[in-house]
Amino acid sequence: MNGGGPFFEPVPGVTPGPVTTDPAHPFVPNGVGKQPTFRIADLTNPNLMPWVKEHMKKENDEVINGKKTGFTPHSSCQIAGVPMFMGYGGGNPIIFLQTPEEVWMIFSGDMQVRRVYMDQPHSANLKPSWYGESVGHYEGDTLVVDTIGLNDKTVADIYRTPHTDKMHVVERWRMVDNGEGMESVFTVEDPGAFYRPWTAMRRYRRVQYDDIPEIVCAENNQQFDYLVPVAKTPDF
């Protein structure tokens, strides 16, 4: 809902907030009558640890110098993880399926699915995975989702911010605007990448979506900066 392509908004009055655009390299989205640009992260953010800044400076320099593109993981059919799942947008809605035991969030762009297991504790001794383990419960009209067990192969946001497998994300989803919108306010904690937990917000419009099409991400995609996933052995 925030225009200019999806991004994480700061929550008014809450600091620190998310990584934002470098003022020296303003982001220009498609469809505004100007030459579009890629997102360049503002590395003056004091919440980023030195190794994170070093990694992102290399990424920034390569994008600025035209050595690579600044697309999101979805551009190369990679897994989003959390909270990057909320960094996707455009014409591909997120579909919610609810049962008393689980809530599924399906990104229709390439059928990535998050599973939130309701009213139960986290598992012991989790092995890190792409989406980790999400458990949830309702507080009034707000769905609270707690995610741990994430691997370090994903990025935290659309600025390609790296993180460790210690990342912990808590989201609070609720309907807004008389049911015509959805808002997620979330906090990201990672003592290996950020000095302090940071909080951001993502907002969505409600759309009428009568069917879930099957979309193949890799088909004719020419932007494989991170290498298209390839199976080395048959799975049957």
Side-chain angles (χ1 to χ4, degrees):
M1 294 180 71
N2 41 28
F7 64 94
F8 297 158
E9 296 182 72
V11 177
V14 180
T15 58
V19 172
T20 57
T21 294
D22 182 354
H25 299 89
F27 172 67
V28 179
N30 289 316
V32 296
K34 299 179 181 179
Q35 176 62 45
T37 63
F38 294 113
R39 296 185 190 271
I40 303 298
D42 181 2
L43 300 186
T44 64
N45 187 321
N47 199 33
L48 303 177
M49 290 188 174
W51 76 266
V52 176
K53 287 188 177 183
E54 182 179 351
H55 176 96
M56 296 178 74
K57 183 180 186 307
K58 181 181 177 181
E59 282 267 319
N60 280 357
D61 290 345
E62 288 182 340
V63 173
I64 292 169
N65 294 325
K67 294 182 178 180
K68 68 181 300 182
T69 56
F71 286 113
T72 65
H74 177 235
S75 307
S76 296
C77 304
Q78 301 295 314
I79 305 299
V82 181
M84 183 57 208
F85 182 85
M86 292 178 286
Y88 291 164
N92 302 116
I94 293 176
I95 299 145
F96 285 77
L97 301 177
Q98 294 193 84
T99 73
E101 292 80 25
E102 296 181 21
V103 173
W104 284 24
M105 303 179 191
I106 305 172
F107 172 61
S108 59
D110 60 0
M111 314 314 293
Q112 292 192 43
V113 180
R114 290 186 61 190
R115 295 170 176 84
V116 180
Y117 302 97
M118 299 298 292
D119 300 312
Q120 59 181 281
H122 280 296
S123 304
N125 303 316
L126 277 173
K127 180 181 178 181
S129 60
W130 291 96
Y131 271 108
E133 181 182 70
S134 295
V135 298
H137 66 275
Y138 272 97
E139 295 180 2
D141 62 356
T142 299
L143 173 64
V144 181
V145 181
D146 187 293
T147 302
I148 60 173
L150 295 155
N151 66 32
D152 61 2
K153 298 178 182 180
T154 63
V155 292
D157 55 32
I158 54 175
Y159 293 97
R160 305 173 297 281
T161 303
H163 61 86
T164 75
D165 61 7
K166 303 301 181 185
M167 188 163 69
H168 175 201
V169 183
V170 177
E171 304 152 77
R172 301 180 66 87
W173 293 81
R174 68 187 183 100
M175 302 294 290
V176 295
D177 300 332
N178 296 317
E180 294 304 310
M182 179 82 82
E183 174 186 279
S184 175
V185 175
F186 58 96
T187 298
V188 178
E189 178 182 8
D190 185 345
F194 313 115
Y195 288 112
R196 295 170 55 196
W198 54 272
T199 300
M201 177 172 63
R202 183 76 164 92
R203 303 180 72 227
Y204 301 86
R205 291 186 180 90
R206 186 171 192 161
V207 296
Q208 184 65 37
Y209 209 57
D210 297 323
D211 197 8
I212 303 177
E214 184 173 349
I215 299 175
V216 180
C217 175
E219 189 171 295
N220 198 36
N221 192 326
Q222 305 298 314
Q223 304 295 341
F224 295 123
D225 299 323
Y226 304 99
L227 303 179
V228 61
V230 176
K232 296 181 179 179
T233 58
D235 56 4
F236 57 88

